[in-house]
Structures are given as structure tokens and as C-alpha cells.
Amino acid sequence: MKGTLEKFELAIIDGNADGSADLADVIVAEGRATPAEIFAHLSSAMEEVGAKYETGEYFIPEMLRSAEAVEKAMSVLETYLFERKDGQAGIVVMGTVKGDIHNIGKNIIVSALRAAGYEVHDLGVNVSAKKFVDKVKETGADLLLLSAFTTSTKPALLEIIALLKTEGLRDRVKVLSGGASHSQAFADEVGVDGFAADVKSTLEVCRRLMGES
Amino acid sequence: MNSRERFLAVLAGEIPDRVPIVPVVDGYFAPKVIGRANDECYLDGACLADALAASMTEFGYDGAIAEMGLGPEPSVLGCPVEIEGNDVPLVVETIVGGRDDLENLIIPDPWSGGKMEPVERLVAAVGADQAVLGSVRSPFEYAATVRGLVEFMTDFYRDPGFVHDLIDAVRPATVKLAEALADAGVDAVVLKDSFASTSMISPDHYREFAFPSECDAIAEIAGRIPVILHICRNSMPILADMARTGAAVLEIDSPVDLAAAKAAVGSAVILKGNIDAVTVMEKGGAADVEAAVEAAMGAAKAGGGFILSTGDSIPRPAPEANLAALVEFGERYGNY
Ligand code: B12
């Protein structure tokens, strides 16, 4: 017999939103699982979903379906997880940069980070440098994740880095960038601290950078 | 053979003097050729038509793509659209939050609001010697656009019935615009189904949602005018289905292996493609363009039924020299 958390993880992988919400109710009712355990199962589910996409078993609708299952589960689990802060991984500000409106990859990462226990402030798409920097200031974010899908967004990324420096925040927040048509070389040129191309490596880089901060 | 005869010969199933060259030069790239900004041209029909005509004259390819203008109140079926600087027009707000909102959709009158002005002006400017293609969104793409791509694709599992109803509700827009383009005298219509590719959705979802709506729309359009079905990125797993939609031409993108595509569809349809618009046309140089063109000709020229093209719109930042190279090498390697 599988335990509740294992079933919960499978429901997320299968993108069964109702099932994941029901199992979240059971988790709350049972009251045994620690936030750290819950986040471990949630993030392992989203890593699996990302892996299925990379190997061509899943397509975008299947990833979105799992992201929705995470969001539904989180709305049930919020109070439970929030009351017991020990699982919290860090504070993240994320958005798609100015001049760019691609949001699918960003939304997937937002859900994966929430699943991994981060408090995520999603600013949406076409976000100005000022809005990013203001939010970093307001939330005391540990990580700033910038989605940029077209290569013409380079000036927008550079502007954000420059503004963080002007505001004296560059040393206080780790910056990651990513998105379709993004490469490590591009990330290096822009001067961010980390880059990743899929769900699993994004979570890994975030974990590594949190360890450094 | 002049350019238009060459293009029409391929549509008629004949072998022309050489492979026609019809790259996807639209309002993303063409304004650069006349030194104007993209937003100026999309908002001013004369500017857009002049840019598209000037680009074809300057580079000497065989057919232009007559994009519609945005008109004074840019909108996609009621969703507000913005264009800024040298970007492309973007839908900034979606209006279909649920089933009740289907009645808010506005099926546009193609002949109102100056949308057809660039098309008519371009057709007149080009004359009879070169081809002009029109371009419309497919019902599937319209549906994704008015719903928002993320919500739309989440609906595939959440409420598939709604996806079908939404697609049916927007289909008249595709059909009406295509008919208007036919009335304006274009030679063929490109039906753009950018989100239907297997880079985005599974072959099963393609068959469930996109394919039937392509068939329905094409059944209504193809009696008037030949249809070129465009699907971005990878479409190899669904190519045989695409060949059964009633489209005369499949416009395929760079992830598809052209030789394999030709083997898969045989002589059932014409192929148009598939030089990479970003890695070759934008980021590459003349040598990359030459290599890509030579390879494409090697894969698909034999036996006819091939139109040389980019796989997708050429981006504004692409060097003009690369478009010149596409035409030069297309002419060099394309003779029959
Ligand atoms: C869907 C799509 C669109 C849709 C977007 C709808 C939406 N709501 O998002 C629409 C039609 C609006 C669109 C418009 C345009 N697009 Co577009 N689009 C795509 C497409 C087909 C898929 C993108 C996608 O969602 N992929 C799936 C997700 C899951 O993958 P992902 O985005 O890479 O995200 C993953 C990782 O990158 C990572 N990740 C994402 N964000 C972050 C952030 C951080 C910090 C980290 C660490 C990781 C990370 O995690 C995700 C998990 O897997 C791509 C082609 C492609 N194959 O990618 C082109 C693509 C991105 N688009 C492109 C272009 C050029 C455009 C346009 C400029 C022009 C045009 N003619 O289409 C406009 C511009 C719009 C604008 N100003 O933003 C180009 C960019 C090329 C380049 N080198 O600049 C691409 C690559 C297509 C191509 N021609 O090659 N597009």
C-alpha cells in the first residue's frame, strides 16, 4: 500500500488536480507529514514532470496540467505549511522581462519552485526593471529569476542587473536567467549568477545558490 | 517564366524552370527595408504595403506575403492588441475567461477599419508578374489567442468540450478573412496554425482539436483559393495528417527533416520550407544560408512540388545580406 504522500506525488505527476487537492485534504487531516516531507514529494513530482517533457513523453498541456495540480494542492496546504515554517526554502521574485510576453516556461518554473517550498512572487510578463527591483526590495528576496525567451531581451536583462547595482542590491540577491533560446553563454554575457534549461536543473541551481547566500 | 507563373506552376503540379523562392517576409522584417519602424507600418496600411513590395523588389524573390494591417483600433476578435517599436503586434488582454464570454467575441468585418488596405495596395503594386499570398490565423490559433495560450492548453484536460466550442466560435473569422483575401486577388492563403505543432502539443491533441478545425476551415476556403498550412517548429509526427487536411501546400519549419517529410507526403501535397529563420537567417552568415539552401534543394527539389522558404517569419534583426543570399543561392541551386 502506498502512503498518502506517495499517492499525492503520483497525482501531481498525472496532473490530477482534483485528486491532488483531495489528497492534500487527507494530508492536513492526518497532520503527520512535515512541510519538508511534503515539499520533497511535490518537487520530486515536478522534476519528474519536467523529465517527461524533456524526453517527449509529456507535451506542454501535460506540464500545465501538473502545474495546476500543484497550485490546487498548495491552496489547500497553504495554512498547514505556513503555520510550520520549517520547510520554507527561500523567497523568490520571478517574471518575464520587458518586451517579452512568453509565460509558459515561467509558469512551470513558478509552480515547481512553490512545490519545492519557495515563497514565490510572480510578477507576470513584460515586467520593467524597476518593478523587479522594487519587489526584490519589498520582499527581501533571496533569488531573482528572470525569464527571457527572445534574444532581443538582452538590453532588458542588462538594465535589471544595472539597476540592482545602483540600488545596492546586487550582492544581496542571486540572479538566475533562463527561457527558450537562452544559453549559458548568453547568461554569462548578461552577468547573472546562474542559468538552467529545465525544471530539474533550475531547482538544483536554486538550491546551490541558496546554499551560497 | 515570371515569378508568378513559376509559383502557380508548382501549385498546378507542374515542374517550373526553377524552385520558386517565397520566404516568410512579413511585417516583422519588411519595414526595415524601407527604414521604417514596425509599429509605424502595422498602424499605417500604406507603409506596410510599401515595405512588403519594396522588400520583394529589392531582393527579387518570387512572392510576397500580404499581411493585414491592424487598423485604428488594433484587436484580435475583441482582444486589444499593442505594437511597440520594432516588435510584432501582441495581444495584451484576453477576453475569454469562460463559456459565457464566447458572446463577447467580435467576428471582424474584414473590410472595415483599414485592415485590407495593405493587402489591396500590395496586390495593386505587385501587378501580375509576381505572386502575392495572404495570411490568416487558423481557428485553433485564434482560440488560443483569445483565451490565452496557458489557459487554452490547460482546458485540453479541464474542459475539452469548451475547447471545441471555442474553436467553432472563432472559425467564421478565419473563413471570412480568407474569403476577403481571395476577393482582394491574392494567389493563395497561408493558414497559420502556430501552436498546433508537436513541439507544443501531442499528436493525439493535434488530432483531437487542431486537425478537425483545419479540415473544417480548409473545406470552406479551398473552393475559392489554394491553402498553405503553416505549423511552426516540429510537425513530423503529424505530417501525414496535415497532408489530408485539404491544404495544397504544407509550410514546414526547420526542425522537420525535409527529405523525411518529402518521403512521408510523396506527391500528395507541395512542401514549402524550411530554412531556420533564427539560427540561419538571423544569427548565421551567407555561408550558413548557402549550406542550408543547398541542403534543402538536395532534399526536396527532385520531382517538383517544392517551394523554397524560411520555416517561419524572418525576424527584424536578421541581416538583409542573408535574405539576398537566400535568393542568390535559391536561384543557383534551384534550377530544374
Ligand atoms: C509559444 C511561443 C510563443 C507564444 C507565447 C505565448 C505564451 N503565452 O507564452 C507567442 C505566439 C505569443 C510568441 C510570440 C513571439 N515569439 Co515565440 N515562441 C513560442 C514557442 C513556440 C514555445 C515557447 C514555450 O512556451 N516553450 C515551452 C516551455 C516549457 O519551454 P521554455 O519556455 O524554454 O521554458 C523552460 C526553460 O527554458 C526553463 N525556464 C523558463 N524560464 C526560466 C527562467 C529561469 C530563471 C530559469 C533558470 C529557467 C527558465 O524552464 C522551462 C521548463 O521546461 C518558442 C519556440 C520553442 N521551441 O521554444 C517560440 C520562441 C521563443 N519565440 C520566438 C519569437 C522570435 C517570438 C516573437 C518575437 C515573434 C514571432 N514571430 O513569433 C514573438 C514575440 C513576443 C514577445 N515580444 O514576447 C523565438 C525566439 C528566438 C530568439 N532567438 O529570439 C522562439 C525560440 C521561436 C523561434 N523562432 O525559434 N511565441
Side-chain angles (χ1 to χ4, degrees), chain A residues 53 59-62 64-65 68 98-99 101 103-104 107 151, chain B residues 87 90 149-150 153-154 156-158 198 200-202 205 283:
Chain A
Y53 173 71
F59 295 82
I60 294 175
E62 288 73 30
L64 292 173
R65 179 180 67 163
E68 200 195 17
K98 183 99 195 136
I101 58 144
N103 65 354
I104 298 170
N107 289 10
T151 40
Chain B
D87 216 330
L90 295 173
L149 194 52
V150 167
M153 293 196 303
T154 310
F156 285 11
Y157 288 103
R158 193 166 43 196
T198 51
M200 311 249 344
I201 65 172
S202 67
H205 275 148
K283 309 280 183 222

Side-chain angles (χ1 to χ4, degrees), chain B residues 151-239:
Chain B
E151 291 303 319
F152 181 68
M153 293 196 303
T154 310
D155 289 336
F156 285 11
Y157 288 103
R158 193 166 43 196
D159 192 354
F162 177 52
V163 177
H164 284 292
D165 292 346
L166 177 57
I167 291 171
D168 286 342
V170 297
R171 192 173 65 241
T174 299
V175 173
K176 273 182 147 185
L177 292 171
E179 284 169 349
L181 288 165
D183 291 339
V186 304
D187 296 301
V189 167
V190 181
L191 184 71
K192 288 193 293 180
D193 214 347
S194 311
F195 308 129
S197 85
T198 51
S199 298
M200 311 249 344
I201 65 172
S202 67
D204 287 347
H205 275 148
Y206 169 77
R207 288 174 195 126
E208 181 176 355
F209 299 118
F211 174 75
S213 57
E214 287 166 354
C215 293
D216 289 348
I218 293 171
E220 291 186 69
I221 301 166
R224 295 281 320 271
I225 191 163
V227 175
I228 300 172
L229 176 61
H230 166 87
I231 295 191
C232 301
R233 313 313 298 161
N234 189 28
S235 56
M236 196 62 214
I238 52 171
L239 212 61

Side-chain angles (χ1 to χ4, degrees), chain A residues 46-160:
Chain A
M46 281 308 280
E47 281 186 17
E48 179 66 19
V49 168
K52 283 178 185 283
Y53 173 71
E54 299 300 327
T55 58
E57 185 183 341
Y58 274 10
F59 295 82
I60 294 175
E62 288 73 30
M63 280 209 287
L64 292 173
R65 179 180 67 163
S66 290
E68 200 195 17
V70 168
E71 300 297 329
K72 279 216 170 163
M74 291 303 275
S75 63
V76 175
L77 290 168
E78 209 157 28
T79 333
Y80 184 81
L81 294 170
F82 188 70
E83 278 170 356
R84 311 165 54 167
K85 272 246 168 195
D86 58 312
Q88 192 160 101
I91 300 174
V92 173
V93 169
M94 185 162 189
T96 302
V97 303
K98 183 99 195 136
D100 199 328
I101 58 144
H102 295 83
N103 65 354
I104 298 170
K106 172 190 69 66
N107 289 10
I108 305 282
I109 298 291
V110 164
S111 295
L113 287 168
R114 289 207 172 113
Y118 291 89
E119 174 187 322
V120 187
H121 301 267
D122 179 1
L123 300 181
V125 297
N126 194 20
V127 180
S128 68
K130 183 171 185 313
K131 215 167 150 192
F132 275 120
V133 173
D134 285 351
K135 200 69 183 177
V136 167
K137 231 188 272 177
E138 179 197 320
T139 57
D142 305 296
L143 302 173
L144 173 61
L145 270 75
L146 305 170
S147 281
F149 299 88
T150 65
T151 40
S152 54
T153 52
K154 197 169 165 186
L157 286 159
L158 291 170
E159 192 191 341
I160 298 165

Side-chain angles (χ1 to χ4, degrees), chain B:
Chain B
M1 250 183 182
N2 66 36
S3 288
R4 185 154 177 261
E5 287 164 352
R6 191 172 291 130
F7 176 76
L8 294 177
V10 175
L11 285 190
E14 295 154 16
I15 297 196
D17 58 341
R18 71 157 164 79
V19 170
I21 306 166
V22 187
V24 188
V25 175
D26 56 22
Y28 194 9
F29 178 85
K32 176 160 126 168
V33 179
I34 57 166
R36 304 283 290 271
N38 290 6
D39 55 356
E40 279 180 83
C41 280
Y42 272 109
L43 297 169
D44 168 5
C47 175
L48 187 56
D50 294 350
L52 294 162
S55 174
M56 182 155 69
T57 306
E58 169 142 0
F59 297 102
Y61 44 86
D62 295 309
I65 295 164
E67 245 194 301
M68 281 181 234
L70 294 178
E73 282 175 29
S75 138
V76 172
L77 315 195
C79 298
V81 169
E82 279 174 14
I83 169 139
E84 222 187 278
N86 290 325
D87 216 330
V88 290
L90 295 173
V91 169
V92 290
E93 202 186 312
T94 56
I95 54 167
V96 179
R99 205 171 270 279
D100 292 347
D101 297 325
L102 288 182
E103 56 197 50
N104 299 339
L105 291 170
I106 301 164
I107 302 299
D109 172 3
W111 296 101
S112 75
K115 287 186 283 296
M116 290 297 288
E117 187 198 336
V119 180
E120 294 188 287
R121 191 175 163 106
L122 182 66
V123 169
V126 164
D129 293 347
Q130 284 155 310
V132 180
L133 280 53
S135 154
V136 292
R137 287 180 165 94
S138 70
F140 186 78
E141 182 167 329
Y142 263 131
T145 305
V146 298
R147 176 81 172 113
L149 194 52
V150 167
E151 291 303 319
F152 181 68
M153 293 196 303
T154 310
D155 289 336
F156 285 11
Y157 288 103
R158 193 166 43 196
D159 192 354
F162 177 52
V163 177
H164 284 292
D165 292 346
L166 177 57
I167 291 171
D168 286 342
V170 297
R171 192 173 65 241
T174 299
V175 173
K176 273 182 147 185
L177 292 171
E179 284 169 349
L181 288 165
D183 291 339
V186 304
D187 296 301
V189 167
V190 181
L191 184 71
K192 288 193 293 180
D193 214 347
S194 311
F195 308 129
S197 85
T198 51
S199 298
M200 311 249 344
I201 65 172
S202 67
D204 287 347
H205 275 148
Y206 169 77
R207 288 174 195 126
E208 181 176 355
F209 299 118
F211 174 75
S213 57
E214 287 166 354
C215 293
D216 289 348
I218 293 171
E220 291 186 69
I221 301 166
R224 295 281 320 271
I225 191 163
V227 175
I228 300 172
L229 176 61
H230 166 87
I231 295 191
C232 301
R233 313 313 298 161
N234 189 28
S235 56
M236 196 62 214
I238 52 171
L239 212 61
D241 303 273
M242 291 166 66
R244 291 189 290 114
T245 54
V249 181
L250 305 183
E251 188 175 270
I252 55 178
D253 203 350
S254 50
V256 177
D257 182 283
L258 205 46
K262 183 117 175 167
V265 301
S267 57
V269 286
I270 295 151
L271 293 177
K272 178 176 187 287
N274 71 341
I275 309 301
D276 196 304
V278 176
T279 60
V280 176
M281 297 303 289
E282 181 184 338
K283 309 280 183 222
D288 302 299
V289 177
E290 178 173 8
V293 169
E294 194 182 359
M297 292 294 188
K301 181 178 108 175
F306 180 53
I307 299 166
L308 181 70
S309 172
T310 51
D312 209 342
S313 309
I314 300 179
R316 171 132 184 162
E320 291 181 48
N322 283 351
L323 183 51
L326 182 82
V327 177
E328 182 192 335
F329 297 119
E331 287 174 349
R332 184 175 310 166
Y333 295 108
N335 287 319
Y336 282 105

